[in-house]
Amino acid sequence: MSSCRVAGAPGLVGRQTKGGGRSSWHPGPASVPFFPEATPPLSLPSPHLGPCSSASFDCSDRQFHSVAAAWQARLESPMDVKELIPEFYYFPDFLENQNGFDLGCLQLTNEKVGDVVLPPWASSPEDFIQQHRRALESEYVSAHLHEWIDLIFGYKQRGPAAEEALNVFYYCTYEGAVDLDHVADERERKALEGIISNFGQTPCQLLKEPHPARLSAEEAAHRLARLDTNSPSIFQHLDQLKAFFAEVVSDGIPLVLALVPHRQPHSFITQGSPDLLVTVSANGLLGTHNWLPYDRNINNYFSFSKDPTMGNPKTQRLLSGPWVPGSGVNGQALAVAPDGRLLFSGGYWDGSLKCGVGSEAGQGKCDYSVLPMFSHSHADIVTCLALDTCGIYLISGSRDTTCMVWRLLQQVGMWGGLSPKPVQVLYGHEAAVSCVAISTELDMAVSGSEDGTVIIHTIRRGQFVAALRPPGATLPGPVSHLALGSEGQIVVQSSAWERPGVTYSLHLYSVNGRLRASLPLAEQPTALAVTEDFVLLGTAQCALHILHMNKLLPAAPPLPMKVPIRSIAVTKELSHVLVGLEDGKLIVVGAGQPSEVRSSQFARRLWRSSRRISQVSSGETEYNPAEAH
């Protein structure tokens, strides 16, 4: 699917407003009707609308109260210019009058103005935003994007071409039309400033010739196929999901962490070099493996080379304890820096948070054989850790009911440890903190506790924002997992003590803490991960579930694993899902189209060295859950 991140739709002529940096849009002749089924409203009355309903709001008829009415007004009146702001594509809350303000009534129908009236094809504000964004990202919009560029920034902005396209605005809005510094008359100057402030300014003209059209999706796919560098995203091929056996990482010991750090440094000279894949078992056994996400010679494109130190007791690397008695290493209390050079761990009996710094021992490999541990302390045991995707902040949660936000230190372009003191100490829980999540871009730190409460704080100021309690539990249990989506969606997995036993559920909250969807779970969740549009859930009943983010509905049939799942991670290319099992196996889930394997399959040139296929596990071996024990 093509992607075009613009503030307005093709055919909607934009003018940059003076104040907020947004764009005002006026329908041109090539307008794309995003609301074809909207019912045409009554024409708006004359501008003399009478007194406003409140001193704080505009007159009711001039407010944005209906998508259909706004669209129709844009088509009928060339003087009626409104903004198509970015919120139309990502933020459903702006369509609701959540505070219940008195916005008055419409003059013709006496209808009270409240939530924005949506088109009949939108079942909710969330559905409207999702479909609107899907339209913006569609192939049709991509095919006409160059026409929009011609109108806004190109040769149709001024002159005869603009007149022919009906793309003409008041002369004061154009760049260079008025020089306010040379207007001597104060009244005239203020009048011109008022016109500019109310009607906006046309962007600078950047192009004098027609802009070329984008490649079609088919053409782009052919070009990518010729480049032969990218494996397909599993989320574009959910009907082709398969589980492929990779390796027994720790025989009989649960695999609590398996991930590929997403910002590993690579030289442009060594293209095709392997990534680092980090695993940690419940006994603290650490593995740093080679992971090659794309090799067209292999059935499902990936190759995995196990860390040779793991098989020899003399060379094995173990995270140093002592751990909380009877618990071992908990995957919730582990985190790896984006470049793979730092390993953070909690769960120690003395309440410390330890940061292990690994040294680079070879291409695509970090040597954690000697781990200098920098210790930071809570008043009680550190139960959970989370890193933001930028690698700027780490958040830790503890049995002492507090969370601490730490800043990662950088040394010569790489992460080198933690700040000696926390940036913020976050309070509000009345029970032990069980899980945490953090997003620097959204300035959000989210934490869940053993009493079922979820609390949102800001990072920079440490301010309390909201406390959430998942619905439907008379006797709430712990919040076992939570995750943050790219747009601030909060996914919470909670439990409750109900007769005859424990019940489990999954909840989706908006960035402002409003409940959007809930899903009762028939299985006990043991691992949770999110991507931009999907939620991945692993269970003790040995199944991997993939759900749509917006409504928590199944996106694909569950994948059976036959063994309880202990960890889930999505690779940085979205090409595979790494699943750690209770019995120590690492399962790789992919959706690539099988390709023909070359005849030289017994010996290949892998990572600049010849290795026999027996030394490398690859996607050619499909995992058969019926044979797993």
Side-chain angles (χ1 to χ4, degrees):
M1 182 177 291
S2 300
S3 175
C4 43
R5 298 288 184 183
V6 293
L12 297 182
V13 177
R15 298 183 299 174
Q16 190 70 24
T17 59
K18 183 178 180 180
R22 296 175 177 172
S23 300
S24 300
W25 308 109
H26 167 278
S31 298
V32 179
F34 279 104
F35 320 108
E37 300 176 21
T39 304
L42 294 173
S43 299
L44 292 178
S46 65
H48 305 288
L49 296 175
C52 295
S53 58
S54 170
S56 302
F57 303 105
D58 199 357
C59 299
S60 303
D61 291 83
R62 283 202 295 260
Q63 293 180 41
F64 175 49
H65 62 276
S66 166
V67 172
W71 179 255
Q72 193 65 28
R74 301 302 80 73
L75 294 178
E76 293 179 348
S77 173
M79 303 303 295
D80 197 345
V81 179
K82 291 292 188 293
E83 291 185 278
L84 190 60
I85 56 178
E87 282 81 351
F88 271 92
Y89 301 100
Y90 78 93
F91 192 59
D93 290 34
F94 90 102
L95 297 168
E96 299 176 289
N97 183 14
Q98 297 178 2
N99 295 307
F101 290 131
D102 181 10
L103 303 175
C105 299
L106 302 178
Q107 291 190 79
L108 293 184
T109 63
N110 205 33
E111 178 185 356
K112 188 171 180 60
V113 176
D115 295 344
V116 174
V117 179
L118 301 175
W121 46 259
S123 59
S124 65
E126 294 78 26
D127 184 44
F128 172 82
I129 294 298
Q130 184 185 25
Q131 294 199 54
H132 207 208
R133 181 165 56 195
R134 192 180 300 145
L136 182 66
E137 302 282 354
S138 68
E139 181 63 19
Y140 180 86
V141 171
S142 291
H144 293 271
L145 186 60
H146 63 290
E147 299 171 7
W148 176 82
I149 295 173
D150 289 339
L151 290 169
I152 309 303
F153 303 104
Y155 80 105
K156 290 185 179 180
Q157 188 195 88
R158 300 189 184 196
E163 295 176 14
E164 185 178 350
L166 303 181
N167 189 32
V168 180
F169 297 91
Y170 189 60
Y171 80 98
C172 285
T173 67
Y174 289 94
E175 181 188 24
V178 177
D179 187 356
L180 293 176
D181 294 332
H182 289 78
V183 178
D185 190 326
E186 186 67 22
R187 294 179 60 186
E188 182 182 356
R189 179 188 176 91
K190 288 185 177 180
L192 289 172
E193 289 178 344
I195 291 172
I196 294 171
S197 177
N198 283 281
F199 294 98
Q201 289 180 278
T202 305
C204 300
Q205 186 177 12
L206 304 178
L207 307 169
K208 299 296 179 69
E209 310 226 347
H211 194 282
R214 290 188 67 174
L215 291 175
S216 67
E218 185 177 358
E219 292 169 334
H222 280 304
R223 180 169 292 189
L224 283 175
R226 288 198 303 270
L227 291 175
D228 194 20
T229 56
N230 296 316
S231 53
S233 167
I234 63 168
F235 301 108
Q236 295 178 2
H237 304 277
L238 289 174
D239 57 336
Q240 302 170 15
L241 288 182
K242 291 181 182 179
F244 290 85
F245 173 71
E247 187 63 77
V248 178
V249 175
S250 51
D251 194 8
I253 302 172
L255 190 60
V256 297
L257 176 73
L259 62 84
V260 177
H262 66 276
R263 288 192 179 183
Q264 301 184 45
H266 285 291
S267 170
F268 70 93
I269 300 175
T270 57
Q271 293 182 0
S273 59
D275 283 324
L276 175 74
L277 191 158
V278 181
T279 62
V280 180
S281 303
N283 63 348
L285 179 61
L286 176 66
T288 53
H289 316 273
N290 277 330
W291 164 260
L292 193 64
Y294 186 74
D295 186 341
R296 262 193 99 146
N297 296 321
I298 297 174
N299 210 17
N300 206 49
Y301 301 127
F302 73 88
S303 295
F304 171 89
S305 180
K306 184 178 177 180
D307 184 349
T309 66
M310 299 187 71
N312 187 344
K314 294 183 179 180
T315 59
Q316 285 179 348
R317 291 161 292 168
L318 294 169
L319 297 180
S320 59
W323 311 100
V324 177
S327 67
V329 179
N330 177 14
Q332 294 266 47
L334 295 170
V336 180
D339 65 353
R341 290 192 173 97
L342 296 181
L343 177 66
F344 304 96
S345 56
Y348 301 99
W349 67 271
D350 60 355
S352 62
L353 159 64
K354 295 185 179 181
C355 169
V357 181
S359 60
E360 189 170 348
Q363 180 180 324
K365 186 110 172 170
C366 275
D367 180 12
Y368 291 96
S369 56
V370 179
L371 284 173
M373 305 300 289
F374 304 101
S375 181
H376 303 73
S377 294
H378 276 266
D380 206 334
I381 295 166
V382 174
T383 55
C384 47
L385 298 172
L387 267 165
D388 67 354
T389 56
C390 302
I392 298 176
Y393 292 108
L394 172 82
I395 183 172
S396 58
S398 171
R399 282 189 189 175
D400 64 10
T401 74
T402 68
C403 297
M404 293 184 180
V405 178
W406 310 84
R407 188 174 185 90
L408 272 68
L409 304 177
Q410 289 195 357
Q411 299 175 353
V412 195
M414 67 182 70
W415 285 270
L418 287 179
S419 56
K421 293 183 179 180
V423 176
Q424 301 292 349
V425 180
L426 308 178
Y427 301 92
H429 287 290
E430 298 180 353
V433 180
S434 53
C435 49
V436 287
I438 189 168
S439 172
T440 299
E441 301 96 329
L442 300 170
D443 195 27
M444 292 177 65
V446 187
S447 54
S449 64
E450 295 286 348
D451 63 359
T453 303
V454 177
I455 294 182
I456 308 172
H457 287 89
T458 63
I459 299 173
R460 293 176 181 86
R461 296 189 177 182
Q463 292 179 331
F464 170 85
V465 176
L468 316 174
R469 189 171 289 274
T474 54
L475 187 59
V479 176
S480 301
H481 302 89
L482 64 81
L484 273 172
S486 59
E487 295 170 10
Q489 308 99 319
I490 305 171
V491 181
V492 177
Q493 185 271 301
S494 64
S495 57
W497 306 105
E498 306 283 356
R499 293 181 180 179
V502 182
T503 61
Y504 304 97
S505 56
L506 198 65
H507 308 281
L508 175 68
Y509 291 88
S510 72
V511 67
N512 287 329
R514 296 198 67 194
L515 182 65
R516 294 304 187 190
S518 292
L519 176 68
L521 300 174
E523 303 176 6
Q524 178 186 354
T526 53
L528 176 71
V530 300
T531 64
E532 187 171 343
D533 297 310
F534 296 92
V535 177
L536 291 86
L537 194 69
T539 69
Q541 286 69 34
C542 318
L544 173 65
H545 299 266
I546 300 180
L547 311 172
H548 288 290
M549 172 79 81
N550 59 328
K551 295 183 179 179
L552 299 182
L553 297 177
L559 275 178
M561 295 291 162
K562 223 38 173 177
V563 180
I565 294 173
R566 291 296 299 268
S567 67
I568 297 175
V570 182
T571 59
K572 58 184 180 181
E573 306 88 359
L574 304 181
S575 59
H576 299 89
V577 178
L578 306 177
V579 181
L581 300 184
E582 184 78 26
D583 61 359
K585 290 188 179 72
L586 173 65
I587 306 301
V588 179
V589 176
Q593 291 282 359
S595 59
E596 199 171 305
V597 181
R598 293 180 183 172
S599 58
S600 58
Q601 53 184 313
F602 292 102
R604 289 200 186 91
R605 190 76 175 170
L606 288 176
W607 312 322
R608 302 182 182 276
S609 66
S610 295
R611 299 184 181 181
R612 294 190 61 81
I613 199 66
S614 60
Q615 295 177 278
V616 179
S617 298
S618 71
E620 293 171 4
T621 307
E622 188 168 352
Y623 173 65
N624 185 1
E627 299 175 357
H629 299 284

